[in-house]
């Protein structure tokens, strides 16, 4: 590449001797940095996807080279324009690669601040129109680079809840795709149109809109804020365990998705993150943040996002998380997956006799929600059975299962005496709500991510004014505080719940789970046992999900929203 660039200089500038030595060196140095950056970037895909330490030094070197390259092209732009013929789309490519680096750094570290850095580089490309000239060149591969940039930018904006920007980007991407397919008559038109359909469905997945007075939509964030989790009061005896690692697994048939994130995965990952801070004030250049400059707050738990994993992929990541889990830490496993039911009767009731949830078989032969085996005497192979998780209960384990066969995980046994909790979704929903409880994500996960939106949805509301929304959020915070007290004051609750209660994220998930369960038990159309969430170990109902004090709060929230008629008034009398 360097030789080619120098030949270009000679042909454009006359004899090689006419070009000042310094300018020739500038081009040579730029070519070296460009080659080195591409080489390192391409090497990223060879790094192991699991394990938290092996990749860090390689990422650091890649950031270093891109930082030098970015500053170099800024300082020597005129020489590179004249002697190298540097095009604006090439600058856009460098900025796009830096944006991708930050995004992958976020995926590896779960530090949401890196999303802001990715956003700032992707934004600069758009604001400075780096890719605007691409359409004038007769090179379809350059236009594809531009389309991919848009798709990546959209993912980052979705994760940052910048929905206004997403809508603008989708419109621009739609125009670009139309122009691309019209000019080049390519075969990938269907794929790009599918990208547009996926992101449109993703944006519309939330069942309730919060509106300003001028009817514009309020964007609500569901990450953990400073006031998010109920505070522990003095005298509350809880464990000191901290959530350190999480596996978020999505394998539902026909659920809204974008990139490799289903809507359930998207909601759960935000429930395990703090609001992002902007690192710009702390960082002089990309990737050069010193370890001493880390944000002062506690870090987010590390996450692996697994979309439709095979059993062996899931087990590999699970084993890596288990191996690297620090002392006094918790591993969380979130399973949003199609249920796999046992076929035939089994004489025993062991951890492989109740089915479980689907893992990917690498073959698209599976349709519908129930999987039937060829031979009824064998267990389903492409299934994560409760027994598959037994080896990992040697360390504190917090499991959430959102599935039509979640109750398979009720038959757990705590073999090693370590803290262990399973939160299990309803296995069926009332007919009136089934539209929400499938393609647009699960109602149970929505309760864990955004309990007020879920409450509004089951109450039959589809939009709400901002003022009322904020009033209800305040009241919900009060309910969460009271649920926390119910849990910690309970005399008969299993100690596992309290051992997890010291961690902010787990505390919030537990209080939301109890709110979800209490709401469904009071709701007039949730009348079957399978409509209710369950847990292992079981919660003492009278002290938690059927506590009269909590039921009174739920009716009060319903009164604020004028939907009290949806709920049973004297719930305890109905049992």
């Amino acid at each position: 590449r360097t030789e080619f660039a120098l030949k270009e200089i000679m042909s454009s500038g006359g004899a090689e001797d006419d070009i000042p030595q310094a300018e020739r060196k500038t081009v040579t140095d730029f070519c070296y940095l460009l080659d080195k950056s591409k080489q390192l970037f391409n090497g990223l895909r060879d790094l192991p996807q699991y394990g938290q330490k092996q990749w860090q030094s390689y990422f650091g070197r890649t950031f270093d080279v891109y930082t030098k390259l970015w500053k170099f092209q800024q300082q020597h732009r005129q020489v590179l324009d004249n002697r190298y013929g540097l095009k604006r789309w090439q600058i856009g490519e460098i900025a796009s690669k830096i944006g991708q680096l930050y995004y992958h750094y976020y995926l590896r570290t779960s530090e949401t601040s890196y999303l802001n850095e990715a956003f700032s580089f992707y934004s600069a490309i758009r604001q400075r129109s780096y890719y605007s000239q691409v359409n004038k060149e007769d090179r379809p591969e350059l236009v594809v680079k531009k389309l991919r940039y848009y798709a990546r930018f959209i993912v980052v904006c979705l994760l940052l809840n910048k929905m206004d920007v997403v809508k603008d980007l989708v419109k621009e991407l739609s125009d670009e795709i139309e122009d691309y397919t019209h000019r080049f008559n390519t075969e990938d038109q269907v794929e790009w149109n599918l990208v547009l359909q996926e992101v449109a469905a993703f944006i519309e997945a939330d069942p309730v809109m919060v509106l300003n007075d001028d009817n514009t939509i309020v964007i609500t964030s569901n990450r953990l804020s400073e006031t998010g989790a109920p505070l522990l009061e003095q005298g509350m005896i809880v464990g000191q365990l901290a959530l350190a690692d999480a596996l978020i697994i999505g394998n539902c048939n026909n659920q809204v998705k974008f990139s490799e994130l289903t809507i359930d995965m998207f909601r759960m990952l935000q429930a395990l993150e703090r609001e992002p801070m902007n690192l710009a004030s702390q960082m002089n250049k990309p990737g050069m943040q010193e370890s001493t400059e880390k944000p002062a707050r506690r870090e987010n738990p590390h996450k692996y996002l697994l979309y439709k994993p095979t059993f062996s992929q899931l087990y590999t990541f699970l084993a890596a998380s288990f191996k690297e889990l620090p002392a006094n830490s918790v591993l969380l496993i979130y399973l949003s997956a199609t249920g796999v039911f046992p076929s035939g009767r089994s004489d025993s009731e062991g951890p492989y006799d109740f089915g479980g949830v689907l893992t990917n078989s690498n073959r698209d032969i599976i349709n519908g929600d129930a999987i039937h085996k060829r031979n009824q005497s064998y267990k389903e192979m492409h299934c994560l059975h409760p027994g598959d998780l037994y080896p990992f209960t040697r360390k504190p384990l917090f499991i959430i299962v959102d599935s039509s066969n979640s109750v398979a995980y009720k038959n757990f046994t705590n073999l090693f005496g370590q803290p262990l909790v399973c939160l299990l979704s309803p296995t069926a929903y009332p007919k009136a709500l089934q539209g929400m409880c499938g393609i647009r994500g699960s109602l149970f996960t929505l309760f864990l991510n955004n309990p007020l939106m879920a409450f509004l949805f089951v109450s039959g509301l589809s939009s709400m004014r901002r003022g009322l929304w904020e009033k209800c959020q305040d009241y919900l915070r009060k309910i969460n505080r009271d649920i926390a007290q119910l849990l910690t004051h309970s005399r008969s609750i299993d100690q596992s719940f309290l051992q997890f209660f010291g961690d902010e994220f787990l505390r919030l998930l537990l209080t939301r789970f109890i709110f979800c369960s209490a709401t469904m038990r009071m709701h007039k159309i949730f009348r079957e046992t399978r409509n209710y969430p369950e847990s292992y170990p079981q919660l003492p109902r009278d002290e938690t999900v059927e506590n009269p004090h909590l039921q009174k709060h739920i009716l009060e929230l319903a009164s604020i929203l004028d939907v009290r008629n949806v709920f049973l008034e004297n719930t305890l009398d109905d049992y």
Side-chain angles (χ1 to χ4, degrees), residues 124-163:
I125 293 169
R126 184 163 168 249
Q127 285 161 2
R128 298 172 194 174
S129 307
Y130 281 140
Y131 280 126
S132 62
Q133 300 300 308
V134 160
N135 295 22
K136 292 181 180 173
E137 303 206 21
D138 195 26
R139 293 172 61 186
E141 73 277 10
L142 287 186
V143 183
V144 169
K145 282 180 190 284
K146 184 179 187 177
L147 300 183
R148 284 182 177 156
Y149 149 72
Y150 269 107
R152 291 182 182 116
F153 194 6
I154 287 168
V155 171
V156 168
C157 290
L158 284 171
L159 287 164
L160 287 170
N161 292 306
K162 294 183 185 288
M163 293 304 174

Side-chain angles (χ1 to χ4, degrees), residues 42-70:
N42 292 337
L44 290 172
R45 60 177 72 111
D46 299 326
L47 293 175
Q49 289 176 290
Y50 48 85
Q52 293 182 42
K53 298 290 174 265
Q54 303 95 316
W55 56 271
Q56 281 179 325
S57 61
Y58 191 94
F59 253 88
R61 289 208 308 279
T62 311
F63 264 128
D64 278 351
V65 171
Y66 270 97
T67 302
K68 287 174 187 163
L69 180 63
W70 185 251

Side-chain angles (χ1 to χ4, degrees), residues 64 87 92 110 127 232 284 498 572:
D64 278 351
K87 293 187 165 60
S110 299
Q127 285 161 2
L232 291 172
N284 300 324
L498 298 179
L572 290 176

